[in-house]
Amino acid sequence: MAFCTQAVILILSVLIVSWCKPSYGAGIAIYWGQNGNEGTLAATCNSGNYQFVNVAFLSAFGNGQTPVLNLAGHCNPSANTCTGLSADIKACQGKGIKVLLSIGGASGAYSLSSADDARQVASYIWNNFLGGQSSSRPLGDAILDGVDFDIEAGSGQFWDDLARALNGFRQQKKVYLAAAPQCPFPDAHLDTAIKTGLFDYVWVQFYNNPPCQYSGNANNLLSAWSQWTTVQANQVFLGLPAAPEAANSGGFIPADVLTSQVLPSVKNSPKYGGVMLWNKQFDNGYSAAIKGSV
């Protein structure tokens, strides 16, 4: 009888934990590619700190431009030296890490002129970075998991068309879509795209935005966070600078403050997916300090 009682208690305990625990695991997303001194992509994934890596940036595309991949000092796409990253990408994916191509950035030369232009850009990305085929794949034969929209310039037009066009390839292979809006809600560039409901991950930039970032207290941040968790996306991430130097206009949260004062509130949302960090160059221990609490 005692054995049966213990067994029932154990089963009930497991059920309670499973009911209370979200059906997904939270993780850390990191941007990699904008500083040649930040270490290799392989080392980034080998750290064990990240579940997502955004390879940044495809900084020029659209409006008839020849697309340009800019990975700072890591390699030179025009000299075909970035194809060596293919092995690193596959190694990351072998660890269960999703590797996405980040398009845009704060200083890129990109724009979309029409819905047809968006479809052409989607086809280029599919054939050169995702599951399609091209004789000029900048990162070699590795197939990235998806695309991150870090759109910080130009208008908000046609990004929804780009999202739909990329999602259109899903019958051949799932294309994960991520967006990195600024924390003022709604985002000036990505609002229409996010409203398509096609984005798996929305990692909101709660930095370089004084009205909605941490500034000695988290009141403004939490107010904005409550708005962002209403968007049509599978998961919403808290985007933060990995060091004070990573965000000239502020938003850095000390690791102990983040884990004790901010994350407990943020994690109350069922859409909470984790933390996004900008960027690998500045992450000298921050992700390691917070990953146990994410």
Side-chain angles (χ1 to χ4, degrees), residues 31 100 147-151 177-181 190 193-194 199-205 276:
Y31 280 83
L100 282 67
V147 181
D148 167 58
F149 288 45
D150 184 10
I151 307 305
L177 296 180
L190 289 168
I194 293 171
F199 285 81
D200 300 282
Y201 316 111
V202 173
W203 20 71
V204 186
Q205 298 185 41
M276 174 272 279

Side-chain angles (χ1 to χ4, degrees), residues 259 263 267 272 289-294:
T259 57
L263 284 181
K267 291 167 73 171
Y272 168 77
I290 68 170
K291 69 177 181 179
S293 301
V294 169

Side-chain angles (χ1 to χ4, degrees), residues 31-283:
Y31 280 83
W32 177 93
Q34 284 302 289
N35 190 287
N37 297 319
E38 66 193 338
T40 66
L41 180 57
T44 297
C45 293
N46 286 338
S47 70
N49 292 341
Y50 315 113
Q51 284 68 48
F52 305 87
V53 177
N54 295 314
V55 176
F57 290 105
L58 187 70
S59 59
F61 59 87
N63 203 22
Q65 298 180 82
T66 299
V68 174
L69 178 69
N70 178 352
L71 297 183
H74 289 286
C75 55
N76 183 357
S78 62
N80 213 33
T81 59
C82 295
T83 56
L85 290 172
S86 183
D88 286 6
I89 293 167
K90 293 175 183 177
C92 293
Q93 293 169 327
K95 296 178 182 295
I97 298 168
K98 288 183 174 62
V99 183
L100 282 67
L101 173 70
S102 187
I103 65 173
S107 58
Y110 52 86
S111 63
L112 295 175
S113 58
S114 65
D116 184 61
D117 187 24
R119 287 188 287 270
Q120 291 183 40
V121 170
S123 293
Y124 171 82
I125 292 173
W126 170 257
N127 288 322
N128 286 275
F129 296 96
L130 303 175
Q133 295 186 347
S134 169
S135 60
S136 59
R137 291 176 66 91
L139 299 176
D141 63 356
I143 298 173
L144 300 186
D145 295 292
V147 181
D148 167 58
F149 288 45
D150 184 10
I151 307 305
E152 304 183 34
S155 77
Q157 286 189 296
F158 311 118
W159 300 111
D160 55 332
D161 295 295
L162 181 59
R164 291 189 190 96
L166 287 167
N167 184 62
F169 293 106
R170 67 187 182 280
Q171 293 180 339
Q172 299 176 63
K173 186 183 186 299
K174 165 69 176 176
V175 177
Y176 288 91
L177 296 180
Q182 310 292 308
C183 59
F185 185 89
D187 183 74
H189 301 101
L190 289 168
D191 182 50
T192 304
I194 293 171
K195 283 180 176 175
T196 62
L198 296 175
F199 285 81
D200 300 282
Y201 316 111
V202 173
W203 20 71
V204 186
Q205 298 185 41
F206 286 93
Y207 52 92
N208 291 332
N209 284 290
C212 48
Q213 68 192 23
Y214 180 86
S215 57
N217 67 69
N219 295 342
N220 291 341
L221 182 152
L222 293 174
S223 177
W225 172 260
S226 67
Q227 292 179 295
W228 278 106
T229 54
T230 66
V231 301
Q232 296 179 342
N234 291 347
Q235 295 182 8
V236 180
F237 286 61
L238 184 70
L240 299 172
E245 300 77 25
N248 292 332
S249 298
F252 176 73
I253 307 177
D256 60 333
V257 175
L258 177 69
T259 57
S260 65
Q261 299 179 30
V262 181
L263 284 181
S265 296
V266 168
K267 291 167 73 171
N268 284 331
S269 169
K271 285 194 175 180
Y272 168 77
V275 172
M276 174 272 279
L277 295 179
W278 175 265
N279 63 20
K280 181 59 178 68
Q281 172 191 358
F282 299 101
D283 184 15

